[in-house]
Amino acid sequence: MIKLTLKDGSVKEIEQAMPASEIIKGIGMGLYKAACVVKINGEIKDLRTVIDSDCEFEVLTFDSKHGKETFWHTASHLLAQAVKNLYPDAKLGRGPATENGFYYDFEVEKPFTPADLEKIQAEMKKLAKEGFELERFELSCDEAVKLMEERNEKYKIELIDKHNSKGEKLSFYKQGDFVDLCAGPHIMSVAPIKAVKLTQCTGAYWGKAEDGIQMSRIYGTAYPKASMLEEHLKQMEEAKLRDHNKLGRELEYFTTVDYIGQGLPILLPKGAKVIQTLQRWIEDEEYKRGYQLTKTPFMSKRELYKISGHWDHYRDGMFILGDPDDETKECFALRPMTCPFQYQVFLNRKRSYRDLPMRLGETSTLFRNEDSGEMHGLIRVRQFTISEGHLILRPEQLEEEFKGCLDLAKYCLETIGLAEDVSYRFSQWDPANPNNKYEGTAEQWEEAQGAMKKILDDIGLDYEIGIDEAAFYGPKLDIQIKNVFGKEDTLITIQIDMQIAKKFGMEYVDKDGKMKMPYIIHRTSVGCYERTLALLIEKYAGVLPLWLAPEQVRILPIKPEHNDYAYDLAEEMRDLGMRVEVDAEDDNIGPKIKQARFDRVPYMFIIGDNEVKDGTVTVRSRKEGELPAMPAADAIAKLKEEIDTKAK
């Protein structure tokens, strides 16, 4: 008998090996119809996977993250099938699931137009009604190449060669007459794809942009029910209104300039003020928690990166000054991270166990040569600032210090109001890909990952596992967050490194007088400031919490004779550290209020004859509406308390 431990802890027994799909049918046909994929011992597997041994067995539906990914991946195949039906000469590229749908790249004679999308969408709906089942099969390399040659799919042949060189299986999925090279997983048939919307057609590159192979990309989304699609489209309309790339420019937080470069935003006074506020708060909070502030160079000779391993593992992502292959001349690179620089603080003199843990923090400006297609507003840029830190410690201090890093990250997220929007990913190495991407032995990796797993499990953190998502030197806890369009990025990361100290000769004298290597934790507290600003603009639709708002109060005198009182109030409030502006334009009060609302100013103080005479203000709050007139001192105290407590 084969025993399956289900999600609720119950055990189901089967007499012989069988596909997961058949097992699910035995549990219930309703569950089978809703099933998208299964999780076997924590790993995502196709419904066609044969279960032949005892395991943990969980069925994932469209309501789950992996269920959606599988559903949308199948929808991308449906899109490709529709395109091939309508445009037989189109060449297939790639078609993955995305955060809220899917895309597929094609080489076509003429780029697709919105009118083409309507025809393709109609064809997809027709094919879905035919209910083709997806059949998985594997081929040898020669067989796979022959099949794709017969179908004149040159890009698939390129992918076959790539996967075969890595020793990966060459699997295909067939639906009707359509066949695609694909690792899966997929749902059982296209029938559940009831509602489809193709949203956009853009240009894309096959491989690197400099290769110049232009493709035509179609984006779309799909749902099991039309009502779910309608709800999603409504959310996307709301997302467009909150999109920081639009709203942040309208509110003058940042701008970009073509002749400066993509991914190099200019922070305007509002954006710079918010980041300055965050930065000062983080630096002060880290100081309270025992961090020492450092300031290190923006660039280094390549020799530093060779020692750290970044030259071998991260060189393509670096901005290099000079010829990287000419060893006879100096070559520099802008720093993509601060760790090898901060290690020099430890190495500055001989260290003992009494110096540890050494907590080093820095507001670091970093440079990464991101692909042009990845750039998006402030969320993914080529120059950015990060709350970076490295903790150098004795092995027995690892658990306490890691928990301290996580506590700081959680505190930061809760304070700025993003704690409920994040998820946690335990990013691990891929033992099948050790030589090309990772350093160290399997034993070192198992030790580091085992230590992190124990810590995460002990504190009861709810996390997912990300295989092949680790840094090249160690596992990490990635704190993930999505923007308004559902695109997921890493906001904060905490990493365990048991290897790099040896490369730099970092040693300390332990209690027994022997020289030992420290462990290192790489971490951020609030992550990338630019990305955080973008997420805050989207989260609050531009109305930032009072303590973060670039302009906290706008004083609106009704007539010119009220200006003196308004300026006196503004000076008093600025002396208390508040950010205040006076709109003394000779204009009616209505347009002034309208402009303040457009600018998302949290509070307005309106000044008229009675307010001047009585020493009061009439307060308009974005959250509370218009409040009764109150003494100016009381109004200022109310706002000061809200700022000091960092109320959301």
Side-chain angles (χ1 to χ4, degrees):
M1 298 292 286
I2 299 172
K3 295 181 179 180
L4 311 178
T5 303
L6 306 183
K7 186 179 181 182
D8 62 3
S10 63
V11 176
K12 179 178 176 60
E13 295 184 344
I14 56 176
E15 294 183 355
Q16 59 186 15
M18 63 176 65
S21 57
E22 294 302 313
I23 296 171
I24 299 169
K25 286 180 182 178
I27 298 174
M29 285 303 297
L31 182 61
Y32 171 73
K33 290 178 180 178
C36 293
V37 70
V38 287
K39 185 185 288 187
I40 308 297
N41 293 330
E43 293 187 31
I44 303 303
K45 297 289 187 179
D46 194 289
L47 294 170
R48 299 158 188 81
T49 302
V50 174
I51 308 301
D52 56 8
S53 61
D54 295 354
C55 65
E56 295 179 356
F57 186 89
E58 182 181 352
V59 182
L60 302 180
T61 68
F62 187 82
D63 292 334
S64 69
K65 174 185 175 183
H66 293 295
K68 286 184 174 68
E69 289 176 353
T70 304
F71 189 94
W72 287 331
H73 190 184
T74 305
S76 78
H77 279 223
L78 186 64
L79 165 60
Q81 184 181 14
V83 168
K84 290 293 286 186
N85 280 3
L86 297 172
Y87 307 90
D89 293 333
K91 302 292 184 293
L92 299 174
R94 293 188 182 91
T98 64
E99 283 76 7
N100 54 21
F102 55 89
Y103 71 78
Y104 210 111
D105 291 340
F106 305 90
E107 183 186 68
V108 287
E109 186 176 346
K110 294 181 180 179
F112 293 115
T113 66
D116 295 328
L117 296 194
E118 291 185 17
K119 291 191 297 182
I120 297 168
Q121 183 173 297
E123 181 70 10
M124 289 178 70
K125 291 179 179 178
K126 186 180 81 171
L127 291 171
K129 287 180 180 178
E130 295 188 38
F132 296 112
E133 291 189 358
L134 280 84
E135 303 170 25
R136 183 183 185 277
F137 61 93
E138 294 180 8
L139 295 176
S140 68
C141 182
D142 290 343
E143 291 171 330
V145 169
K146 181 181 178 183
L147 176 63
M148 290 297 107
E149 284 178 342
E150 291 171 352
R151 291 173 173 265
N152 198 21
E153 297 291 358
K154 59 182 180 181
Y155 298 109
K156 295 298 179 180
I157 295 172
E158 183 179 325
L159 291 174
I160 288 168
D161 291 338
K162 180 179 178 181
H163 292 305
N164 187 60
S165 67
K166 295 180 180 179
E168 297 171 352
K169 292 181 179 179
L170 299 174
S171 60
F172 293 79
Y173 282 81
K174 181 178 186 293
Q175 60 201 58
D177 294 331
F178 177 77
V179 177
D180 202 355
L181 172 73
C182 185
H186 283 285
I187 59 177
M188 296 301 289
S189 82
V190 299
I193 304 174
K194 304 292 187 185
V196 175
K197 177 66 177 178
L198 298 183
T199 56
Q200 189 181 14
C201 47
T202 66
Y205 286 103
W206 179 259
K208 294 184 178 180
E210 55 264 31
D211 294 338
I213 301 176
Q214 186 76 33
M215 307 286 278
S216 190
R217 175 173 295 177
I218 297 177
Y219 286 94
T221 192
Y223 285 83
K225 296 179 182 178
S227 60
M228 296 170 72
L229 175 60
E230 290 173 8
E231 180 61 28
H232 168 76
L233 294 177
K234 286 179 183 177
Q235 291 175 356
M236 289 299 99
E237 288 303 313
E238 171 67 18
K240 290 177 183 178
L241 298 177
R242 289 175 175 261
D243 180 11
H244 86 279
N245 209 13
K246 175 179 181 291
L247 190 56
R249 295 172 193 271
E250 290 175 354
L251 297 178
E252 297 187 341
Y253 279 88
F254 76 100
T255 188
T256 52
V257 181
D258 287 344
Y259 52 76
I260 289 178
Q262 194 177 16
L264 299 170
I266 306 296
L267 288 173
L268 301 174
K270 284 184 180 180
K273 176 55 67 176
V274 175
I275 287 181
Q276 181 191 56
T277 302
L278 286 168
Q279 177 183 326
R280 288 175 172 175
W281 164 59
I282 291 295
E283 289 180 351
D284 289 346
E285 183 61 33
E286 289 182 345
Y287 177 74
K288 292 176 188 176
R289 296 178 183 236
Y291 282 79
Q292 302 176 69
L293 186 65
T294 68
K295 188 172 179 60
T296 56
F298 284 8
M299 69 178 76
S300 165
K301 295 197 297 185
R302 68 184 149 206
E303 281 70 23
L304 178 73
Y305 305 118
K306 285 185 175 182
I307 296 171
S308 67
H310 290 102
W311 196 252
D312 291 332
H313 294 278
Y314 209 84
R315 179 169 147 182
D316 288 345
M318 298 167 71
F319 288 103
I320 297 173
L321 311 175
D323 185 348
D325 300 315
D326 187 348
E327 297 290 342
T328 66
K329 296 180 181 178
E330 280 192 330
C331 177
F332 290 78
L334 299 177
R335 64 181 185 187
M337 60 282 294
T338 312
C339 41
F341 296 86
Q342 283 198 330
Y343 300 154
Q344 310 311 310
V345 177
F346 177 91
L347 291 165
N348 185 53
R349 61 176 171 83
K350 189 174 181 180
R351 300 291 178 180
S352 83
Y353 69 93
R354 294 186 180 88
D355 295 313
L356 306 181
M358 178 182 285
R359 305 184 188 102
L360 304 175
E362 181 166 342
T363 302
S364 306
T365 299
L366 304 178
F367 307 86
R368 296 184 184 175
N369 191 11
E370 300 278 9
D371 290 338
S372 59
E374 295 293 321
M375 300 296 105
H376 177 62
L378 296 176
I379 284 182
R380 191 168 290 276
V381 292
R382 286 176 169 152
Q383 176 184 313
F384 57 95
T385 308
I386 195 168
S387 58
E388 194 165 17
H390 297 87
L391 292 81
I392 304 167
L393 45 100
R394 306 195 305 271
E396 62 267 24
Q397 297 170 326
L398 178 63
E399 183 171 350
E400 181 180 356
E401 293 301 316
F402 190 97
K403 288 178 179 178
C405 293
L406 182 55
D407 180 73
L408 173 59
K410 285 186 170 183
Y411 165 74
C412 293
L413 290 169
E414 288 166 0
T415 304
I416 63 179
L418 297 178
E420 295 180 355
D421 303 320
V422 302
S423 60
Y424 297 87
R425 183 180 70 200
F426 180 8
S427 296
Q428 304 179 4
W429 81 321
D430 181 3
N433 185 28
N435 298 324
N436 297 328
K437 186 174 179 180
Y438 302 106
E439 294 189 350
T441 64
E443 291 75 18
Q444 288 173 316
W445 276 93
E446 290 305 316
E447 181 184 1
Q449 291 184 172
M452 185 178 287
K453 184 179 188 305
K454 181 180 183 302
I455 294 169
L456 299 180
D457 291 345
D458 284 350
I459 62 179
L461 189 71
D462 184 16
Y463 61 86
E464 290 190 348
I465 293 176
I467 301 297
D468 203 24
E469 296 289 345
F472 68 83
Y473 47 76
K476 55 190 175 124
L477 177 66
D478 289 323
I479 302 180
Q480 302 292 106
I481 194 166
K482 294 181 179 180
N483 67 9
V484 288
F485 294 108
K487 173 71 168 65
E488 184 173 280
D489 285 292
T490 300
L491 182 61
I492 297 172
T493 184
I494 307 171
Q495 308 170 9
I496 293 177
D497 186 347
M498 298 180 178
Q499 299 187 47
I500 208 163
K502 185 176 181 180
K503 292 185 174 186
F504 281 93
M506 298 168 68
E507 294 182 320
Y508 66 94
V509 182
D510 206 356
K511 294 177 183 179
D512 58 7
K514 295 181 179 179
M515 302 301 295
K516 296 184 180 177
M517 295 285 178
Y519 287 173
I520 296 171
I521 296 176
H522 307 241
R523 48 102 279 182
T524 53
S525 48
V526 79
C528 169
Y529 285 106
E530 289 83 357
R531 183 172 293 174
T532 300
L533 173 58
L535 293 164
L536 289 171
I537 291 171
E538 294 182 351
K539 168 82 173 183
Y540 296 106
V543 188
L544 271 58
L546 184 64
W547 73 279
L548 280 174
E551 182 184 349
Q552 296 168 323
V553 184
R554 187 172 297 178
I555 302 177
L556 308 178
I558 295 175
K559 297 178 181 177
E561 52 264 36
H562 307 140
N563 288 353
D564 288 345
Y565 179 56
Y567 282 117
D568 288 344
L569 277 178
E571 184 177 356
E572 179 183 349
M573 296 169 76
R574 286 175 185 143
D575 286 344
L576 294 171
M578 300 170 73
R579 298 185 284 275
V580 187
E581 299 295 333
V582 177
D583 185 351
E585 290 294 323
D586 187 12
D587 199 355
N588 293 330
I589 192 66
K592 291 184 179 183
I593 293 173
K594 184 178 180 180
Q595 185 61 48
R597 288 190 61 79
F598 176 82
D599 292 337
R600 272 65 165 186
V601 181
Y603 283 96
M604 293 174 254
F605 284 4
I606 300 173
I607 308 296
D609 291 338
N610 292 335
E611 286 79 10
V612 172
K613 177 168 65 79
D614 299 334
T616 61
V617 293
T618 295
V619 181
R620 276 183 176 248
S621 164
R622 296 283 309 199
K623 292 190 295 184
E624 303 171 78
E626 185 167 341
L627 305 177
M630 65 181 75
D634 292 351
I636 293 171
K638 169 182 166 63
L639 271 61
K640 188 71 168 62
E641 181 182 9
E642 189 176 333
I643 292 168
D644 290 345
T645 59
K646 295 181 172 59
K648 296 187 284 290

